[in-house]
Amino acid sequence: MRWIKENSLALTFLVLFLLAVAGQAVAGLFHYNDEQTAQGGEPVSLWSYVASSSYAVNVAENWQSEYLQFFLFIVLTVWLVQKGSPESKEPGRAGRESDEEQRVGRHADPDSPRWARAKGARLWLFSNSLGLVMGLIFLLSWLAQSVAGHAAYNAQRLSGLRDPVTWGSYVTSGEFWDRSLQNWQSELLAVLSMVVLSIYLRQRGSPESKPVGAPHASTSVGG
């Protein structure tokens, strides 16, 4: 029970994620079969739909936009600040900070991760591991979206008696970028809203908010 309590935030989001993925699969199946029937095709089973390019492209395009959001936010907040936002470092502290501030090398604490005491490539890799992994997941999700979207797009073209297109033609097409930019703009707007609204609004007890009584101009302060 203690382990569950200490990891309750991650576990809750994991359960919500699984429920959302399952719900998307069921809702997507109904929509897909409705279109199949309207076009004179045969409905498919849930497992056939989940294994299809139509389902894969819908999942992947959302994943890549989410990880793009996290990657940009992690990297840009190293150098850019927003006065008054708890999501930003204080003005004047932009940059990678000193080894002492980051507690690496000879400044590491006794309980610091082992790689925080390393030097050279290992220290660089660990120091940038969060951004690198988020960026890698974004690239892999983007690739998965492009491959699945290419297959789904060609299936639509063939059903309309049109010739299929190459992967290169698909990723430079309006179809691909319309799907991508629809998601990107919503994620970027969400980050902008969080950064700006957290200057003036509060959520008592949340580390994503400043304390209720904190001045609007206070920066990098969690509640």
Side-chain angles (χ1 to χ4, degrees), residues 65-66 68-70 72-74 76-77 85 87 184-198:
S65 62
E66 293 290 347
L68 174 66
Q69 171 197 169
F70 285 127
L72 290 177
F73 194 62
I74 289 165
L76 292 179
T77 50
S85 176
E87 304 297 324
W184 290 12
Q185 55 89 9
S186 63
E187 301 301 337
L188 296 174
L189 177 61
V191 173
L192 173 63
S193 301
M194 183 66 180
V195 169
V196 175
L197 292 177
S198 61

Side-chain angles (χ1 to χ4, degrees), residues 3-171:
W3 182 87
I4 293 176
K5 185 175 181 179
E6 290 176 344
N7 296 278
S8 57
L9 183 60
L11 291 172
T12 298
F13 272 97
L14 176 60
V15 170
L16 291 174
F17 163 73
L18 294 175
L19 290 174
V21 168
Q24 180 184 358
V26 173
L29 174 67
F30 284 121
H31 177 68
Y32 183 83
N33 280 339
D34 184 58
E35 289 189 337
Q36 282 285 97
T37 303
Q39 296 172 6
E42 292 293 327
V44 301
S45 68
L46 176 63
W47 301 118
S48 296
Y49 173 69
V50 169
S52 71
S53 58
S54 295
Y55 178 72
V57 68
N58 289 333
V59 172
E61 73 179 28
N62 285 288
W63 286 16
Q64 59 100 349
S65 62
E66 293 290 347
Y67 281 100
L68 174 66
Q69 171 197 169
F70 285 127
F71 171 72
L72 290 177
F73 194 62
I74 289 165
V75 174
L76 292 179
T77 50
V78 174
W79 303 101
L80 305 179
V81 299
Q82 176 58 57
K83 184 177 180 180
S85 176
E87 304 297 324
S88 165
K89 292 192 290 188
E90 295 178 359
R93 292 196 61 191
R96 294 174 56 80
E97 301 179 357
S98 67
D99 287 354
E100 183 177 4
E101 290 174 309
Q102 287 290 310
R103 294 183 288 178
V104 299
R106 62 187 179 87
H107 302 288
D109 295 332
D111 57 348
S112 294
R114 185 173 61 181
W115 278 35
R117 303 186 186 90
K119 296 180 180 179
R122 283 200 303 167
L123 179 58
W124 180 89
L125 187 63
F126 186 61
S127 299
N128 297 279
S129 55
L130 182 59
L132 289 171
V133 169
M134 290 294 184
L136 179 61
I137 297 175
F138 161 67
L139 291 175
L140 292 175
S141 299
W142 181 90
L143 180 61
Q145 178 201 350
S146 69
V147 172
H150 177 231
Y153 184 63
N154 276 340
Q156 288 182 343
R157 290 182 65 87
L158 289 171
S159 67
L161 303 179
R162 292 184 294 170
D163 291 334
V165 300
T166 64
W167 178 83
S169 296
Y170 174 70
V171 296

